[in-house]
Amino acid sequence: MANRGSFSGKIGFILAAAGSAVGLGNIWRFPYLAGQNGGAAFLVIYLICIFTLCFPVMIGEIAIGRKAQSDAYGSYQKLGGGKWGYLGLFGILAGVFILSFYNVVAGWAFGYFLEISFGNLLDTQDFGAFFGTYINNVGIISVFSIGFMVLTALVVSQGVQKGIEAANKIMMPALYAILIGLIIYSLTLPNAIEGVKFYLVPNLSEINTQTLFDGLRQAFFSLSLGMGTLMTYGSYVDKKQNIVASASIISIADTSVAFLAGLMVFPMVAAIGAYDVQGPSLVFVVLTEVFHNMGPTTGKIVGGSFFLLLCFAALTSTISLLEVPVAYLVDQKKLPRKPVVWGVATLIFVVGIPSLLSQGKVEFFSHLTFYKDRDFLTFISDMCDLSLTIGGCMLCIFIRGKWKIANMNEELSIGNPGYMNSYLRKYVSFSIMWTCPILLGILSLLIIFDKFVGIEYIFG
Ligand code: TRP
């Protein structure tokens, strides 16, 4: 088993897992979801989801991986036998689909980084129209998406320590530095305080079932939970390490970046008072206009740094997503890492083509009739989110019914001798036995119903 690869130690694992967690989800998606869902009210729901539903699942997922020392399929198969391996395969497949659309959005970010830093993006007048045209320029977006996938593959092909760990050790500190610099700058903009208020003063009237659904999906997605990423990374962790402590740091790191991203974005939004711009275009349209207004030089520097930040965040996540199917093929099929990496990366790019064409280029993918006329990228991203909460629910059922809570606790005590007698053990065990599977099961069903029928038929 020596040739599977492993992280060099505690820092390597934590940085890589935090790198996986911190991504487009935090910087691109979290702020616009918060904006749509009543600002701070969303933050509160999100934090409750993290604490009650995500944190226990994260601990369980890492524990399974470290115990089994195998990929997502191999881990379930080893500890569960029978048909449990299929649960791992389900997660691996979910990862393939997540990466397929994630890489398209990463391509947009990569493109904007280059256009703003070196090109003439800031010369435009109508930023919404520019964005719409830009992402439908299939040639350009393909080039950038392929470029992003190549960067991802280059890192993953170098293996766990020399590739994944090394890349995260450079990009994560850089990411934090850029983020903090941008927040400081953003808070000095005129009207900044208005933006902070919008973000931090809860508007309770905007909380509804949608807020709860969005909070839960975002929490799972943001922590990279429920499909085997953390299981795979956990399998590269040695027995000396304290899983519970690492999971706490990873959760806090991820949540703080999401929180800080809001603190960076909303003062900028306030600078032009564009609170009404919602959804995915928030970052690409509103912020670009703000960068434009800063004048050519400042705009290039601040805007360029922002999109570089987005690219770093995305890259540490795409790396973790690509590693999941790669680990499966390397562990189970005994295939050599490098060709597997390039093969899987190509396949995933191809799977992402419908997403790439779904922003207006091809009518069929842009308005799915069976999905309330929404586009394919939204559809696939919604389905992937769902597979995460379902995967999390099944993971708890697996631990409770098959692997057994006692075995999980034994694994968690390795590297953490006080765990058996701690309150945390009681909390995590109870959550995995009751709270998580029940709530995740019910909420997943409600989300499915909502997506295809509409929850308003139940709750009015
Ligand atoms: N967590 C990342 C983000 O917030 C995306 C991501 C990486 C992910 N690996 C994952 C999401 C595994 C779900 C599952 O952008």
Side-chain angles (χ1 to χ4, degrees):
M1 273 298 169
N3 60 354
R4 281 192 81 243
S6 65
F7 292 115
S8 66
K10 189 171 160 197
I11 303 292
F13 167 60
I14 290 177
L15 274 182
S20 167
V22 173
L24 294 172
N26 304 59
I27 297 167
W28 168 66
R29 205 164 90 160
F30 180 84
Y32 83 71
L33 283 179
Q36 272 169 0
N37 285 294
F42 181 74
L43 194 63
V44 172
I45 299 231
Y46 178 78
L47 288 175
I48 294 176
C49 290
I50 299 265
F51 190 72
T52 54
L53 299 176
C54 297
F55 183 63
V57 173
M58 179 186 280
I59 291 180
E61 188 173 332
I62 300 176
I64 292 176
R66 189 179 66 174
K67 173 72 190 177
Q69 298 283 304
S70 188
D71 62 288
Y73 168 86
S75 293
Y76 276 119
Q77 194 60 29
K78 221 178 203 167
L79 305 185
K83 296 208 172 2
W84 283 104
Y86 286 111
L87 186 53
L89 283 183
F90 171 75
I92 295 169
L93 208 62
V96 166
F97 281 106
I98 294 176
L99 185 51
S100 79
F101 76 81
Y102 199 92
N103 188 60
V104 172
V105 181
W108 304 347
F110 193 29
Y112 262 54
F113 165 63
L114 297 176
E115 299 282 350
I116 290 201
S117 308
F118 308 105
N120 57 3
L121 168 68
L122 299 173
D123 289 344
T124 183
Q125 289 303 323
D126 185 341
F127 294 87
F130 184 94
F131 180 59
T133 315
Y134 194 76
I135 59 176
N136 276 309
N137 191 333
V138 172
I140 290 200
I141 298 300
S142 302
V143 169
F144 291 136
S145 293
I146 291 174
F148 211 84
M149 191 63 97
V150 168
L151 288 176
T152 307
L154 279 175
V155 173
V156 176
S157 67
Q158 296 304 307
V160 180
Q161 224 174 85
K162 277 204 237 131
I164 299 176
E165 180 173 329
N168 277 287
K169 278 186 167 160
I170 300 169
M171 278 189 282
M172 286 306 282
L175 183 151
Y176 273 98
I178 302 177
L179 181 62
I180 304 232
L182 283 173
I183 293 172
I184 294 174
Y185 180 80
S186 170
L187 289 174
T188 61
L189 290 171
N191 273 339
I193 198 71
E194 290 303 313
V196 175
K197 267 197 208 143
F198 173 82
Y199 181 44
L200 292 184
V201 177
N203 181 354
L204 297 181
S205 66
E206 281 183 43
I207 297 194
N208 54 27
T209 39
Q210 240 15 277
T211 321
L212 176 62
F213 294 164
D214 281 349
L216 176 70
R217 300 163 52 197
Q218 175 63 12
F220 261 76
F221 184 83
S222 191
L223 288 176
S224 305
L225 225 52
M227 47 70 56
T229 292
L230 291 175
M231 198 177 290
T232 307
Y233 274 13
S235 75
Y236 303 134
V237 171
D238 67 60
K239 297 277 181 193
K240 287 197 289 291
Q241 294 191 38
N242 182 337
I243 293 179
V244 176
S246 303
S248 314
I249 300 175
I250 297 161
S251 307
I252 292 171
D254 182 63
T255 308
S256 62
V257 172
F259 175 76
L260 291 173
L263 217 48
M264 159 182 70
V265 168
F266 285 106
M268 295 195 196
V269 174
I272 54 170
Y275 295 114
D276 55 323
V277 179
Q278 293 194 335
S281 53
L282 181 71
V283 155
F284 288 96
V285 176
V286 179
L287 292 197
T288 327
E289 184 167 346
V290 177
F291 301 141
H292 169 83
N293 294 347
M294 289 172 183
T297 318
T298 321
K300 271 192 182 191
I301 297 173
V302 179
S305 317
F306 174 82
F307 283 103
L308 183 65
L309 167 74
L310 210 52
C311 290
F312 279 167
L315 189 54
T316 51
S317 299
T318 53
I319 290 169
S320 75
L321 283 162
L322 183 58
E323 176 63 19
V324 174
V326 167
Y328 165 68
L329 293 172
V330 170
D331 281 354
Q332 302 302 322
K333 309 289 173 201
K334 310 281 174 244
L335 297 170
R337 178 173 272 269
K338 282 206 167 98
V340 163
V341 167
W342 293 103
V344 175
T346 311
L347 175 82
I348 294 179
F349 174 77
V350 173
V351 174
I353 290 177
S355 297
L356 205 152
L357 299 175
S358 73
Q359 301 303 300
K361 191 73 191 171
V362 171
E363 176 58 24
F364 175 74
F365 293 123
S366 307
H367 299 279
L368 299 175
T369 41
F370 66 92
Y371 202 59
K372 296 186 184 166
D373 237 22
R374 297 196 181 102
D375 62 287
F376 187 83
L377 197 153
T378 307
F379 169 70
I380 201 80
S381 126
D382 285 352
M383 292 306 110
C384 288
D385 283 353
L386 251 173
S387 70
L388 302 180
T389 46
I390 295 173
C393 175
M394 294 303 294
L395 185 130
C396 296
I397 293 174
F398 170 77
I399 295 178
R400 181 186 176 161
K402 188 69 199 180
W403 188 34
K404 303 298 176 203
I405 296 275
N407 287 323
M408 177 184 79
N409 287 336
E410 191 186 304
E411 182 64 27
L412 292 173
S413 307
I414 305 175
N416 183 2
Y419 186 66
M420 277 301 183
N421 294 317
S422 65
Y423 282 110
L424 202 62
R425 177 187 64 80
K426 294 201 176 103
Y427 174 71
V428 172
S429 309
F430 184 84
S431 303
I432 290 196
M433 279 184 1
W434 302 102
T435 338
C436 298
I438 294 175
L439 287 181
L440 289 174
I442 295 175
L443 286 167
S444 303
L445 289 176
L446 286 177
I447 294 177
I448 297 178
F449 185 81
D450 181 49
K451 286 297 165 203
F452 290 96
V453 184
I455 204 74
E456 57 275 12
Y457 293 109
I458 303 185
F459 294 111

